[in-house]
Amino acid sequence: MGIKYHQQNRTFHLQAGDSSYIFQVYREGYLAHLYWGKRIRSNDLSRRIPYGRKPLSPTPDPWDEGFSLDTLPQEYPAFGNSDFRNPAYQVQLGNGSTVTDLRYKSHKIFKGKKRLQGLPATYVESDEEAESLEVVLCDELCGLEIVLTYTVFEKYNVLSREARLINRGKERLKILKALSGNVDFLSTDYDFLHLSGSWGRERHIERRALASGTQSIESRRGSSSHQQNPFAALLSKGADEKQGEVFAFSLVYSGNFTAQVEVDQFKTARFSMGINPFDFSWMLDPMESFQTPELVMVYSDKGLGDMSSTYHQLYRNNLCRGYYKLKTRPVLINNWEATYFDFTPEKLENIAKTAAELGLEMFVLDDGWFGKRNRDDNSLGDWIVNKNKLPKGLEDLTERINHQGLSFGLWFEPEMISEDSDLYRAHPDWCIHVPDRRRTNSRHQLILDLTNEKVRKYIIESLSNILGCAPIRYVKWDMNRNMTEVGSAFLPAERQRETAHRYMLGLYEIMDKITADFPEILFESCSGGGGRFDPGILHYMPQTWTSDNTDAIERLFIQYGTSLVYPPITMGAHVSAVPNHQVERITDLRTRGHAAMSGNLGYELDLTKLSDEEKKIVKEQIGEYKEIREIIQFGQFYRLKSPFEGKEAAWMFVSDDKQNVVAFYFRILAKANPPLVSMLRLRGLDEGKDYELLGTDKVYGGDELIHVGINIPSFKGDYVSHYWRFKAIK
């Protein structure tokens, strides 16, 4: 590991794990990108810089027509000074112009990694885990200074990047665009991969070849969104789970973002990612600074599986925080699909009693416990217990649940406000809105204006009062709508386009405070399901409700796609009733269990209505899960068969010492006259060990399981599954 600066050719060589990232201070102070890929020894790659006169490509040097910024691969490019490609930033000066010209000023290399002010980011426990580089660029004319920070990690093929814009001039500057990172590739022979979808169909894998022009994903919704996840990658042709080059980008941010790759006339590809410049600007007064979110870049020459393993380890160990970061997660029952808004203490207690008998460990009370909340059109913001439903309050209910041997959890939607609420009647200006414009409702609610310090204080106090009144050990933090009429009554006119980003800064401040004050609580993020499943939220809340769609077959696609970036320990996964409430599908209880056991297992149905046979199956599932959950939550994860490529799916988990193995197989649709033998090849085992198939007397060599595989049982019907457990015996 290390960062080296070679004075002779002014080259920076960053080495992270088995990867190298190299750039150079070129000519009169431009930062030229030279290489990102497999670790190499060379420090002088200036021969890779394109040189030669191109028709209609302007040059900033009248004495050298072979030099042009329009063909130079750059680290953090500007627009307007002869590079026609997409810029990484844009700033408007006092005279209205948007031309800047950054040049290298200085740099420093140091051990460790600094915290980002007001933003979530990866971190290190010790300075020996990482090394960082700060490169200062300056435009002497307007006083704009940009500090580019790069961090390489000792254990991973990871490079993180971010930028800080500082106004060292005498006049106010307006930031129009400030992305977190840019990489110029000299080839376009790549596929563009990203995770897209909608509510109930999140993070499906999309992959297509690069083509001339710009390909992009983005969110303009005020959150990272169900529709697009803040992740994208460029893949070499033919790259798959086990082979090929992958250049991956993951933004540690939960708001509006953009990721795009531009293929220009010379068949080079410029990838850039960061805060979406759409409807964004930021006023920067003299001596003020603006910090971009962190961009986490992973290189793999062993395909998507290796890329995912890197993200999984980094985000599990160096992004998630708190008591539960490396603690096993409880098996829970959530009452939402069992009762919706219609419940009594006795009904909830009966569910909890049955849950305890079946081996569950936590009971979570979902929506409907506060204000006058009997339906979803009122009371958000009024975080006071509904005494009509819970006459003796949460204290009594918690005691009832604890008496059954279960810990107690609670649902909140703290960022929202109902027009039919005491809070709205007292403070109608506390929501995000534009004066004299209609306030569009979604799910009968508006969004609280977190740019307002009084609103943030109210949320912190309200939640703290509830969380401090009883031994609450889990919080489901929901957010069920996106931003419209984006504006703040508490910002001046020239700062209205700062609203969406200031909202995110306010949210991070609230989450930081609440999670610090209640460290014993396991927080799970939710946004209409998986609408804000991103690294920014994971920094504060170590797991996310993966999707509101609990259908086991739909979850195969959702959880498979999610696993490209996010480790299984971050995924909430529940068994629900059939016909499924989202798609009306009827799926076997064992298949539902196997899908949910592939993440943090929970149940979301009325356990009291299960038959004796169903209760027996659930009790067995929970017992099995408790035996394997450390492997699921902390082991190495491997994707074996993609549901996006056929009518089956499979994945597996291996403990770090390669002693314990769990594999799941799912058949989505049956085939007539199927193959005589179907084999599932496993991965990640020790080829020199023998593995016992638990529950049988069969023993397989690790090499056999990897290269030959194990027979997939013969099934009848659709939506069936099977799982295997192996244990090394030598």
Side-chain angles (χ1 to χ4, degrees), residues 200-204 546-562 573-598 641-651 664-670 715-722:
R201 186 169 42 81
E202 296 90 343
R203 289 170 302 286
H204 280 214
T546 314
S547 176
D548 276 349
N549 189 341
T550 53
D551 173 67
I553 303 307
E554 289 287 319
R555 275 301 188 102
L556 299 180
F557 296 86
I558 295 169
Q559 291 172 203
Y560 190 98
T562 302
H574 293 178
V575 175
S576 61
V578 293
N580 175 262
H581 290 204
Q582 288 78 39
V583 299
E584 296 294 317
R585 195 188 332 262
I586 296 176
T587 309
D588 181 76
L589 182 55
R590 289 183 175 84
T591 300
R592 283 177 274 158
H594 290 162
M597 289 164 70
S598 300
K641 287 182 177 291
S642 170
F644 296 99
E645 298 175 1
K647 301 302 181 183
E648 55 187 352
W651 48 59
F664 292 93
Y665 170 83
F666 304 87
R667 189 176 72 192
I668 299 171
L669 294 177
F715 295 114
K716 291 187 180 295
D718 300 332
Y719 319 135
V720 291
S721 65
H722 187 77

Coordinates of all heavy atoms in Angstrom, one line a residue, residues 200-204 546-562 573-598 641-651 664-670 715-722:
G200 N -41.0 -1.4 -5.3 CA -41.3 -2.8 -5.3 C -40.5 -3.6 -6.3 O -40.7 -4.8 -6.5
R201 N -39.6 -3.0 -7.0 CA -38.8 -3.6 -8.1 C -37.4 -3.0 -8.1 O -36.9 -2.6 -9.2 CB -39.5 -3.6 -9.4 CG -38.8 -4.4 -10.5 CD -39.7 -4.5 -11.8 NE -40.4 -3.3 -12.1 CZ -39.8 -2.3 -12.8 NH1 -38.6 -2.3 -13.2 NH2 -40.5 -1.2 -13.1
E202 N -36.8 -2.8 -7.0 CA -35.6 -2.1 -6.9 C -34.3 -2.8 -7.3 O -34.3 -4.0 -7.2 CB -35.3 -1.6 -5.4 CG -36.4 -0.7 -4.8 CD -37.5 -1.4 -4.2 OE1 -37.7 -2.6 -4.4 OE2 -38.3 -0.7 -3.4
R203 N -33.3 -2.1 -7.8 CA -32.0 -2.5 -8.0 C -31.9 -3.8 -8.9 O -31.2 -4.7 -8.7 CB -31.2 -2.8 -6.7 CG -30.9 -1.4 -6.0 CD -30.4 -1.6 -4.6 NE -31.3 -2.3 -3.8 CZ -32.4 -1.8 -3.3 NH1 -32.7 -0.6 -3.5 NH2 -33.2 -2.5 -2.5
H204 N -32.6 -3.7 -10.0 CA -32.5 -4.7 -11.1 C -31.2 -4.4 -11.9 O -31.0 -3.2 -12.2 CB -33.7 -4.8 -12.0 CG -34.8 -5.6 -11.3 ND1 -35.7 -6.4 -12.1 CD2 -35.2 -5.7 -10.0 CE1 -36.5 -6.9 -11.2 NE2 -36.3 -6.6 -10.0
T546 N -35.0 -3.8 2.4 CA -34.6 -3.9 1.1 C -35.7 -3.6 0.0 O -35.4 -3.0 -1.0 CB -34.1 -5.4 0.8 OG1 -33.2 -5.8 1.9 CG2 -33.3 -5.5 -0.5
S547 N -36.9 -3.9 0.3 CA -38.0 -3.5 -0.5 C -39.3 -3.8 0.2 O -39.4 -4.7 1.0 CB -38.0 -4.4 -1.8 OG -39.1 -4.1 -2.6
D548 N -40.3 -3.0 -0.1 CA -41.7 -3.2 0.4 C -42.3 -4.5 -0.3 O -43.3 -5.0 0.2 CB -42.6 -2.1 0.1 CG -42.5 -1.0 1.1 OD1 -41.9 -1.2 2.2 OD2 -43.0 0.1 0.9
N549 N -41.7 -4.9 -1.3 CA -42.2 -6.1 -2.0 C -41.5 -7.4 -1.3 O -40.3 -7.6 -1.4 CB -41.7 -6.1 -3.5 CG -42.4 -7.3 -4.3 OD1 -42.8 -8.2 -3.7 ND2 -42.4 -7.1 -5.6
T550 N -42.4 -8.1 -0.6 CA -41.9 -9.3 0.2 C -42.1 -10.6 -0.6 O -41.9 -11.6 0.0 CB -42.6 -9.3 1.5 OG1 -44.0 -9.2 1.4 CG2 -42.1 -8.1 2.4
D551 N -42.6 -10.5 -1.8 CA -42.8 -11.8 -2.5 C -41.4 -12.4 -2.7 O -40.4 -11.8 -3.2 CB -43.4 -11.5 -3.9 CG -43.4 -12.7 -4.8 OD1 -44.2 -13.6 -4.5 OD2 -42.7 -12.7 -5.8
A552 N -41.3 -13.7 -2.4 CA -40.0 -14.4 -2.4 C -39.4 -14.4 -3.8 O -38.2 -14.3 -3.9 CB -40.2 -15.9 -2.0
I553 N -40.2 -14.6 -4.9 CA -39.6 -14.6 -6.2 C -39.1 -13.3 -6.7 O -38.0 -13.1 -7.2 CB -40.6 -15.2 -7.2 CG1 -41.1 -16.6 -6.7 CG2 -40.0 -15.3 -8.6 CD1 -40.0 -17.6 -6.4
E554 N -39.9 -12.2 -6.4 CA -39.4 -10.9 -6.7 C -38.2 -10.6 -5.9 O -37.3 -9.9 -6.4 CB -40.5 -9.9 -6.4 CG -41.7 -9.9 -7.3 CD -41.4 -9.3 -8.6 OE1 -40.7 -8.3 -8.7 OE2 -41.9 -9.9 -9.7
R555 N -38.1 -11.0 -4.7 CA -36.9 -10.7 -3.9 C -35.7 -11.4 -4.4 O -34.6 -10.9 -4.1 CB -37.2 -11.2 -2.4 CG -37.9 -10.2 -1.5 CD -37.1 -8.9 -1.4 NE -37.7 -8.0 -0.5 CZ -37.2 -7.8 0.8 NH1 -36.1 -8.5 1.1 NH2 -37.8 -6.9 1.6
L556 N -35.8 -12.5 -5.2 CA -34.6 -13.1 -5.8 C -33.9 -12.0 -6.6 O -32.6 -11.9 -6.6 CB -34.9 -14.3 -6.6 CG -35.6 -15.5 -5.9 CD1 -35.9 -16.6 -6.8 CD2 -34.7 -16.0 -4.7
F557 N -34.6 -11.3 -7.5 CA -34.0 -10.3 -8.3 C -33.5 -9.1 -7.5 O -32.4 -8.6 -7.8 CB -35.1 -9.8 -9.4 CG -35.6 -10.9 -10.3 CD1 -36.6 -11.8 -9.9 CD2 -35.0 -11.1 -11.5 CE1 -37.0 -12.8 -10.8 CE2 -35.4 -12.0 -12.4 CZ -36.4 -12.9 -12.1
I558 N -34.3 -8.7 -6.6 CA -34.0 -7.5 -5.8 C -32.7 -7.7 -5.0 O -31.8 -6.9 -5.0 CB -35.2 -7.1 -4.9 CG1 -36.4 -6.6 -5.8 CG2 -34.8 -5.9 -4.0 CD1 -37.7 -6.5 -5.0
Q559 N -32.7 -8.9 -4.3 CA -31.6 -9.2 -3.4 C -30.3 -9.5 -4.2 O -29.2 -9.2 -3.8 CB -31.9 -10.3 -2.4 CG -32.9 -9.8 -1.4 CD -33.5 -10.9 -0.5 OE1 -34.6 -10.8 0.1 NE2 -32.7 -12.0 -0.3
Y560 N -30.5 -10.1 -5.4 CA -29.3 -10.4 -6.2 C -28.7 -9.1 -6.7 O -27.5 -8.9 -6.6 CB -29.8 -11.3 -7.4 CG -28.7 -11.9 -8.3 CD1 -28.2 -13.2 -8.1 CD2 -28.1 -11.1 -9.3 CE1 -27.2 -13.7 -8.8 CE2 -27.1 -11.6 -10.0 CZ -26.6 -12.9 -9.8 OH -25.6 -13.5 -10.6
G561 N -29.5 -8.2 -7.2 CA -29.0 -6.9 -7.7 C -28.4 -6.1 -6.6 O -27.3 -5.5 -6.7
T562 N -29.1 -6.1 -5.4 CA -28.5 -5.3 -4.3 C -27.2 -5.8 -3.9 O -26.3 -5.1 -3.5 CB -29.5 -5.4 -3.1 OG1 -30.8 -4.9 -3.5 CG2 -29.0 -4.6 -1.9
A573 N -34.9 -8.8 5.3 CA -35.6 -9.7 4.4 C -36.7 -10.5 5.2 O -36.3 -11.2 6.2 CB -34.7 -10.7 3.7
H574 N -37.9 -10.4 4.9 CA -39.0 -11.0 5.7 C -39.8 -12.0 4.9 O -40.0 -11.9 3.7 CB -40.0 -9.9 6.2 CG -39.3 -8.9 7.2 ND1 -40.0 -7.8 7.7 CD2 -38.1 -8.9 7.7 CE1 -39.2 -7.2 8.5 NE2 -38.0 -7.8 8.5
V575 N -40.3 -12.9 5.7 CA -41.3 -13.9 5.2 C -42.7 -13.3 5.4 O -43.0 -12.8 6.5 CB -41.2 -15.2 6.0 CG1 -42.4 -16.2 5.5 CG2 -39.9 -15.9 5.8
S576 N -43.5 -13.2 4.4 CA -44.9 -12.6 4.5 C -45.9 -13.7 4.1 O -45.6 -14.8 3.6 CB -45.0 -11.4 3.7 OG -44.8 -11.7 2.3
A577 N -47.2 -13.3 4.3 CA -48.3 -14.2 4.0 C -48.5 -14.4 2.5 O -48.0 -13.6 1.7 CB -49.5 -13.7 4.7
V578 N -49.2 -15.4 2.1 CA -49.6 -15.6 0.7 C -51.2 -15.7 0.7 O -51.8 -16.2 1.7 CB -49.0 -16.9 0.1 CG1 -47.5 -16.7 0.0 CG2 -49.3 -18.1 0.9
P579 N -51.8 -15.3 -0.4 CA -51.2 -14.7 -1.6 C -50.4 -13.4 -1.2 O -50.9 -12.6 -0.3 CB -52.4 -14.3 -2.5 CG -53.5 -15.3 -2.0 CD -53.3 -15.5 -0.6
N580 N -49.3 -13.2 -1.8 CA -48.5 -12.0 -1.4 C -49.2 -10.7 -1.6 O -50.0 -10.6 -2.6 CB -47.2 -12.0 -2.3 CG -46.4 -10.8 -2.1 OD1 -46.4 -9.9 -2.8 ND2 -45.6 -10.8 -1.0
H581 N -49.0 -9.8 -0.7 CA -49.8 -8.5 -0.7 C -49.4 -7.6 -1.9 O -50.2 -6.7 -2.2 CB -49.6 -7.8 0.6 CG -50.3 -8.5 1.8 ND1 -50.7 -7.8 2.9 CD2 -50.6 -9.8 2.0 CE1 -51.2 -8.6 3.8 NE2 -51.2 -9.8 3.2
Q582 N -48.3 -7.8 -2.5 CA -47.8 -6.9 -3.6 C -48.1 -7.5 -4.9 O -48.5 -6.8 -5.8 CB -46.3 -6.7 -3.4 CG -45.9 -5.7 -2.3 CD -45.9 -6.5 -1.0 OE1 -45.5 -7.6 -0.9 NE2 -46.4 -5.8 0.1
V583 N -47.9 -8.8 -5.1 CA -48.1 -9.4 -6.5 C -49.1 -10.5 -6.5 O -49.3 -11.1 -7.6 CB -46.8 -9.8 -7.1 CG1 -45.8 -8.7 -7.2 CG2 -46.2 -11.0 -6.2
E584 N -49.7 -10.9 -5.4 CA -50.7 -11.9 -5.3 C -50.2 -13.3 -5.6 O -51.0 -14.2 -6.0 CB -51.9 -11.6 -6.2 CG -52.7 -10.3 -5.8 CD -53.4 -10.5 -4.4 OE1 -54.0 -11.5 -4.2 OE2 -53.3 -9.5 -3.6
R585 N -48.9 -13.5 -5.6 CA -48.3 -14.8 -5.9 C -48.4 -15.7 -4.6 O -48.3 -15.3 -3.5 CB -46.9 -14.7 -6.3 CG -46.4 -15.9 -7.0 CD -44.9 -15.9 -7.3 NE -44.3 -14.7 -7.5 CZ -44.0 -14.1 -8.7 NH1 -44.4 -14.7 -9.8 NH2 -43.4 -12.9 -8.7
I586 N -48.6 -17.0 -4.9 CA -48.6 -18.0 -3.8 C -47.3 -18.8 -3.9 O -47.0 -19.4 -5.0 CB -49.8 -19.0 -3.9 CG1 -51.1 -18.2 -3.7 CG2 -49.7 -20.1 -2.9 CD1 -52.4 -19.0 -3.9
T587 N -46.5 -18.7 -2.9 CA -45.2 -19.4 -2.9 C -45.1 -20.2 -1.6 O -45.6 -19.8 -0.5 CB -44.1 -18.3 -2.9 OG1 -44.3 -17.4 -3.9 CG2 -42.7 -18.9 -3.1
D588 N -44.4 -21.4 -1.8 CA -44.3 -22.3 -0.6 C -43.5 -21.6 0.5 O -42.6 -20.8 0.3 CB -43.4 -23.5 -1.1 CG -43.2 -24.5 0.0 OD1 -44.1 -25.2 0.3 OD2 -42.1 -24.5 0.5
L589 N -43.9 -21.9 1.7 CA -43.4 -21.3 2.9 C -41.9 -21.6 3.0 O -41.1 -20.7 3.5 CB -44.1 -21.8 4.2 CG -43.6 -21.3 5.5 CD1 -43.7 -19.7 5.6 CD2 -44.5 -21.9 6.7
R590 N -41.4 -22.7 2.6 CA -40.0 -23.0 2.7 C -39.2 -22.1 1.7 O -38.1 -21.6 2.0 CB -39.7 -24.5 2.4 CG -40.1 -25.4 3.5 CD -39.8 -26.9 3.2 NE -40.1 -27.7 4.3 CZ -41.3 -28.2 4.5 NH1 -42.3 -27.9 3.7 NH2 -41.5 -29.0 5.6
T591 N -39.8 -21.9 0.5 CA -39.1 -21.0 -0.5 C -39.1 -19.6 0.1 O -38.0 -18.9 0.0 CB -39.8 -21.0 -1.8 OG1 -39.8 -22.4 -2.3 CG2 -39.2 -20.1 -2.8
R592 N -40.2 -19.1 0.7 CA -40.2 -17.8 1.3 C -39.1 -17.7 2.4 O -38.4 -16.7 2.5 CB -41.6 -17.5 1.9 CG -42.6 -17.1 0.9 CD -44.0 -16.9 1.5 NE -44.7 -18.2 1.7 CZ -45.7 -18.4 2.5 NH1 -46.0 -17.4 3.4 NH2 -46.3 -19.5 2.6
G593 N -39.0 -18.8 3.1 CA -38.0 -18.8 4.2 C -36.6 -18.7 3.6 O -35.7 -18.0 4.1
H594 N -36.3 -19.5 2.6 CA -34.9 -19.5 2.0 C -34.5 -18.2 1.5 O -33.4 -17.7 1.6 CB -34.8 -20.6 1.0 CG -34.9 -22.0 1.5 ND1 -35.2 -23.1 0.7 CD2 -34.7 -22.5 2.8 CE1 -35.1 -24.2 1.5 NE2 -34.9 -23.8 2.7
A595 N -35.5 -17.5 0.8 CA -35.2 -16.1 0.3 C -34.9 -15.2 1.4 O -33.9 -14.4 1.4 CB -36.3 -15.6 -0.5
A596 N -35.7 -15.2 2.5 CA -35.5 -14.3 3.6 C -34.3 -14.7 4.5 O -33.6 -13.8 5.0 CB -36.7 -14.2 4.5
M597 N -33.9 -15.9 4.6 CA -32.8 -16.4 5.3 C -31.5 -15.9 4.7 O -30.4 -16.0 5.3 CB -32.8 -17.9 5.5 CG -33.8 -18.4 6.4 SD -34.1 -20.2 6.2 CE -32.6 -20.9 6.9
S598 N -31.5 -15.4 3.4 CA -30.4 -14.9 2.7 C -30.0 -13.5 3.1 O -29.0 -13.0 2.5 CB -30.6 -15.0 1.2 OG -30.8 -16.4 0.8
K641 N -26.0 -18.3 -9.7 CA -26.9 -18.3 -10.9 C -27.7 -17.1 -10.8 O -28.3 -16.8 -9.8 CB -27.8 -19.6 -10.9 CG -27.1 -20.9 -11.3 CD -28.0 -22.0 -11.4 CE -27.3 -23.3 -11.8 NZ -26.9 -23.2 -13.3
S642 N -27.8 -16.4 -11.9 CA -28.5 -15.1 -12.0 C -30.0 -15.3 -12.4 O -30.2 -15.9 -13.5 CB -27.8 -14.1 -12.9 OG -28.6 -13.0 -13.1
P643 N -30.9 -14.8 -11.7 CA -32.3 -14.8 -12.1 C -32.6 -14.0 -13.3 O -33.6 -14.1 -14.0 CB -33.1 -14.3 -10.9 CG -32.1 -13.5 -10.2 CD -30.8 -14.1 -10.4
F644 N -31.7 -13.0 -13.6 CA -31.8 -12.2 -14.8 C -31.4 -12.9 -16.1 O -31.7 -12.4 -17.2 CB -30.9 -10.9 -14.6 CG -31.3 -10.0 -13.5 CD1 -30.6 -10.1 -12.2 CD2 -32.4 -9.1 -13.6 CE1 -31.0 -9.3 -11.2 CE2 -32.7 -8.3 -12.5 CZ -32.1 -8.4 -11.3
E645 N -30.8 -14.1 -15.9 CA -30.3 -14.8 -17.1 C -31.0 -16.1 -17.4 O -30.7 -16.8 -18.3 CB -28.8 -15.0 -17.0 CG -28.0 -13.7 -16.9 CD -26.5 -14.0 -16.6 OE1 -26.1 -15.2 -16.5 OE2 -25.7 -13.0 -16.5
G646 N -32.0 -16.4 -16.5 CA -32.7 -17.7 -16.7 C -33.8 -17.8 -15.7 O -34.2 -16.8 -15.0
K647 N -34.3 -19.0 -15.5 CA -35.5 -19.2 -14.6 C -35.1 -19.9 -13.3 O -35.8 -20.7 -12.7 CB -36.5 -20.1 -15.4 CG -37.0 -19.5 -16.7 CD -37.7 -18.1 -16.4 CE -38.2 -17.6 -17.7 NZ -38.8 -16.2 -17.6
E648 N -33.9 -19.5 -12.9 CA -33.4 -20.1 -11.6 C -32.4 -19.1 -11.0 O -31.9 -18.2 -11.7 CB -32.7 -21.4 -11.8 CG -31.6 -21.5 -12.9 CD -31.1 -22.9 -13.2 OE1 -31.5 -23.8 -12.5 OE2 -30.3 -23.0 -14.1
A649 N -32.1 -19.2 -9.7 CA -31.2 -18.4 -9.0 C -30.5 -19.2 -8.0 O -31.0 -20.2 -7.5 CB -31.9 -17.2 -8.4
A650 N -29.2 -18.8 -7.7 CA -28.5 -19.5 -6.6 C -27.4 -18.6 -6.1 O -26.8 -17.8 -6.8 CB -27.9 -20.8 -7.1
W651 N -27.1 -18.8 -4.8 CA -26.0 -18.0 -4.2 C -25.6 -18.8 -3.0 O -26.2 -19.8 -2.5 CB -26.4 -16.6 -3.8 CG -27.8 -16.5 -3.1 CD1 -28.1 -17.0 -1.9 CD2 -28.9 -15.7 -3.5 NE1 -29.4 -16.6 -1.6 CE2 -29.9 -15.8 -2.5 CE3 -29.1 -14.9 -4.7 CZ2 -31.1 -15.2 -2.7 CZ3 -30.4 -14.3 -4.8 CH2 -31.4 -14.5 -3.8
F664 N -27.9 -21.8 -1.4 CA -29.3 -21.8 -1.7 C -29.5 -21.9 -3.2 O -28.8 -21.2 -4.0 CB -30.0 -20.5 -1.2 CG -30.0 -20.3 0.3 CD1 -29.0 -19.7 1.0 CD2 -31.1 -20.8 1.0 CE1 -29.0 -19.5 2.3 CE2 -31.1 -20.6 2.4 CZ -30.1 -20.0 3.1
Y665 N -30.5 -22.6 -3.6 CA -30.9 -22.8 -5.0 C -32.4 -22.5 -5.1 O -33.2 -23.0 -4.2 CB -30.6 -24.1 -5.5 CG -31.2 -24.4 -6.9 CD1 -30.5 -23.9 -8.0 CD2 -32.4 -25.0 -7.1 CE1 -31.1 -24.1 -9.3 CE2 -33.0 -25.2 -8.3 CZ -32.3 -24.8 -9.4 OH -32.9 -24.9 -10.7
F666 N -32.8 -21.7 -6.1 CA -34.2 -21.4 -6.3 C -34.6 -21.7 -7.8 O -33.9 -21.3 -8.7 CB -34.5 -20.0 -6.0 CG -34.1 -19.5 -4.7 CD1 -32.9 -19.1 -4.4 CD2 -35.1 -19.5 -3.6 CE1 -32.5 -18.6 -3.1 CE2 -34.7 -19.1 -2.4 CZ -33.4 -18.6 -2.1
R667 N -35.6 -22.5 -8.0 CA -36.2 -22.7 -9.4 C -37.4 -21.8 -9.5 O -38.4 -22.0 -8.7 CB -36.4 -24.1 -9.7 CG -36.8 -24.3 -11.2 CD -37.0 -25.7 -11.6 NE -38.2 -26.2 -11.1 CZ -38.6 -27.5 -11.1 NH1 -37.7 -28.4 -11.5 NH2 -39.7 -27.9 -10.6
I668 N -37.4 -20.9 -10.4 CA -38.5 -20.0 -10.6 C -39.7 -20.7 -11.3 O -40.8 -20.7 -10.9 CB -38.1 -18.7 -11.3 CG1 -37.0 -18.0 -10.4 CG2 -39.3 -17.8 -11.5 CD1 -36.3 -16.8 -11.1
L669 N -39.4 -21.2 -12.5 CA -40.4 -21.9 -13.3 C -39.9 -23.3 -13.7 O -38.7 -23.5 -14.1 CB -40.7 -21.1 -14.6 CG -41.3 -19.7 -14.3 CD1 -41.5 -19.0 -15.7 CD2 -42.7 -19.9 -13.6
A670 N -40.8 -24.2 -13.7 CA -40.4 -25.6 -14.1 C -40.3 -25.7 -15.6 O -40.9 -24.9 -16.3 CB -41.5 -26.6 -13.5
F715 N -37.2 -31.4 -8.8 CA -38.4 -30.8 -8.2 C -39.6 -30.9 -9.1 O -39.5 -31.2 -10.3 CB -38.2 -29.3 -8.0 CG -37.1 -28.9 -7.1 CD1 -35.9 -28.3 -7.5 CD2 -37.2 -29.1 -5.7 CE1 -34.9 -27.9 -6.7 CE2 -36.2 -28.7 -4.8 CZ -35.1 -28.1 -5.3
K716 N -40.8 -30.7 -8.5 CA -42.0 -30.6 -9.3 C -42.6 -29.3 -8.9 O -42.6 -28.8 -7.8 CB -43.0 -31.7 -8.9 CG -42.5 -33.1 -9.4 CD -43.6 -34.1 -9.2 CE -43.1 -35.5 -9.7 NZ -42.9 -35.5 -11.2
G717 N -43.1 -28.6 -10.0 CA -43.8 -27.3 -9.7 C -42.9 -26.1 -9.8 O -41.7 -26.2 -10.0
D718 N -43.5 -25.0 -9.7 CA -42.8 -23.7 -9.8 C -42.5 -23.2 -8.4 O -43.0 -23.7 -7.4 CB -43.7 -22.6 -10.5 CG -44.1 -23.0 -11.9 OD1 -43.3 -23.7 -12.5 OD2 -45.1 -22.6 -12.3
Y719 N -41.6 -22.2 -8.3 CA -41.2 -21.5 -7.1 C -40.8 -22.4 -6.0 O -41.2 -22.3 -4.8 CB -42.4 -20.6 -6.6 CG -43.2 -20.0 -7.7 CD1 -44.6 -20.0 -7.7 CD2 -42.5 -19.3 -8.7 CE1 -45.3 -19.4 -8.7 CE2 -43.2 -18.6 -9.7 CZ -44.6 -18.7 -9.7 OH -45.3 -18.1 -10.7
V720 N -39.8 -23.3 -6.3 CA -39.3 -24.2 -5.3 C -37.9 -23.9 -5.0 O -37.2 -23.2 -5.8 CB -39.5 -25.7 -5.8 CG1 -40.9 -26.1 -5.8 CG2 -38.8 -25.8 -7.2
S721 N -37.4 -24.4 -3.9 CA -36.0 -24.1 -3.5 C -35.4 -25.2 -2.7 O -36.1 -26.1 -2.2 CB -36.0 -22.8 -2.6 OG -36.7 -23.0 -1.4
H722 N -34.1 -25.1 -2.5 CA -33.4 -26.1 -1.7 C -32.1 -25.4 -1.1 O -31.6 -24.4 -1.7 CB -32.9 -27.3 -2.6 CG -32.3 -28.4 -1.8 ND1 -33.1 -29.3 -1.1 CD2 -31.0 -28.8 -1.6 CE1 -32.3 -30.2 -0.5 NE2 -31.1 -29.9 -0.8

